[in-house]
Amino acid sequence: MEHRGRHALVTGGGTGIGLAIALGLAEAGADVTITGRNQARLETAAATHPRLYPRQMDVTDEVSVRDGIAEAARTHGPVCICVANAGIAEPAPFQKESLDHWRGTMATNLDGVFLTFQGAMATLGRDDWGRMLAISSIAGLRGLKGAISYTASKHGVIGLIRGLSEEYLGSNLTFNAICPGYVDTPIVERNAALIAQHQDMPVADARAYLARGNRHKRLLDTDEVSATALWLCSRAARSVNGQAIQIAGGQVT
Ligand code: NDP
């Protein structure tokens, strides 16, 4: 119960990787605000643990994030563990990618992390303890063809983490990014369905194709990512700062 009495916030905490991290933190004693756009889905997720609290919040909307986090902090206390996990992955070949699509990806995957960290850190005092995590991707470390805006946004997340780790060096805050390979979540489900449709192949073959994108040729389970997040939030990881940690079955870079 290392995190008993602490308030954690996990964006995109109603599904996939975010939900696995939220449950891990709740199991470790934290009160966990889980956010997303779909309130019904958040409530279903929150019903799985008594310390999960659903809150509708769109990470692309500055007011929604600022007010949502401030209100959550009034209820459960300062957000000392913040997991900026919300993200979208909608591939588009570069020449066919519209500016709107590019901006939409950036707004969710990069602006969203910026706004979430700013909102969470505004609830903390100068010397408070805190753990700021962002879920980047292997696409934050190397190029991913057919997903230029996604790749750029996830590289940006690592830049944000590295910059913040320098700006707050010596404080009680650490900033780290987790870079998973392909994880078995709704994003992979949706992309496997898209590939199956475009390539006219069974969905199982499309999933196998994505799994081969991981160095060990299998999809990751969400608990492999949540275990790393929990470690980064632990006392043991207090000197791990400004890192981009790969979970991809092998070396990415
Ligand atoms: P999910 O689709 O399950 O999770 C995405 C979450 O983000 C959803 O809960 C969604 O909730 C939320 N979200 C999306 N847009 C917004 C928004 N504008 N405002 C608030 N919440 C939003 O997939 P994953 O769990 O896989 O994805 C989680 C993170 O992990 C993402 O950042 C993704 O890029 C990253 N990642 C995933 C990998 C994978 O293979 N699965 C690999 C590497 C990284 P709602 O729809 O209710 O808003």
Side-chain angles (χ1 to χ4, degrees), residues 34-243:
I34 54 172
T35 71
R37 293 162 301 177
N38 186 322
Q39 180 69 16
R41 212 161 43 202
L42 289 169
E43 280 169 12
T44 305
T48 61
H49 196 286
R51 280 189 294 277
L52 294 186
Y53 305 97
R55 179 170 294 277
Q56 203 167 26
M57 194 178 98
D58 183 339
V59 297
T60 67
D61 178 339
E62 185 176 4
V63 175
S64 170
V65 176
R66 193 187 56 212
D67 293 356
I69 294 181
E71 220 175 291
R74 276 195 290 278
T75 313
H76 300 292
V79 178
C80 59
I81 297 175
C82 178
V83 184
N85 159 80
I88 51 172
E90 292 162 1
F94 182 56
Q95 284 296 345
K96 292 195 174 152
E97 177 154 30
S98 66
L99 185 58
D100 275 355
H101 183 277
W102 165 273
R103 285 183 174 152
T105 305
M106 290 297 167
T108 305
N109 293 2
L110 187 53
D111 300 0
V113 179
F114 165 78
L115 291 173
T116 301
F117 280 178
Q118 228 178 29
M121 287 164 67
T123 71
L124 297 173
R126 215 172 58 110
D127 298 323
D128 281 355
W129 176 94
R131 295 285 179 266
M132 303 289 137
L133 302 187
I135 308 304
S136 177
S137 163
I138 51 169
L141 294 163
R142 69 166 171 82
L144 205 61
K145 70 175 181 184
I148 301 305
S149 55
Y150 185 75
T151 301
S153 69
K154 294 298 190 181
H155 272 68
V157 167
I158 293 174
L160 181 61
I161 286 292
R162 288 180 175 155
L164 284 168
S165 72
E166 287 297 316
E167 189 159 330
Y168 287 86
L169 205 62
S171 74
N172 286 319
L173 305 178
T174 62
F175 300 84
N176 290 290
I178 297 179
C179 302
Y182 295 95
V183 189
D184 198 359
T185 71
I187 277 187
V188 156
E189 241 173 73
R190 283 191 295 273
N191 282 314
L194 274 177
I195 293 168
Q197 193 188 341
H198 286 142
Q199 308 290 326
D200 195 20
M201 59 163 75
V203 173
D205 291 359
R207 274 173 65 85
Y209 167 77
L210 290 175
R212 286 195 296 278
N214 285 342
R215 298 292 306 284
H216 55 355
K217 314 285 184 216
R218 68 163 176 80
L219 293 177
L220 299 164
D221 295 318
T222 54
D223 67 338
E224 297 180 79
V225 184
S226 63
T228 300
L230 282 171
W231 167 68
L232 286 169
C233 291
S234 72
R235 182 176 153 72
R238 61 194 179 280
S239 298
V240 181
N241 193 13
Q243 301 303 306

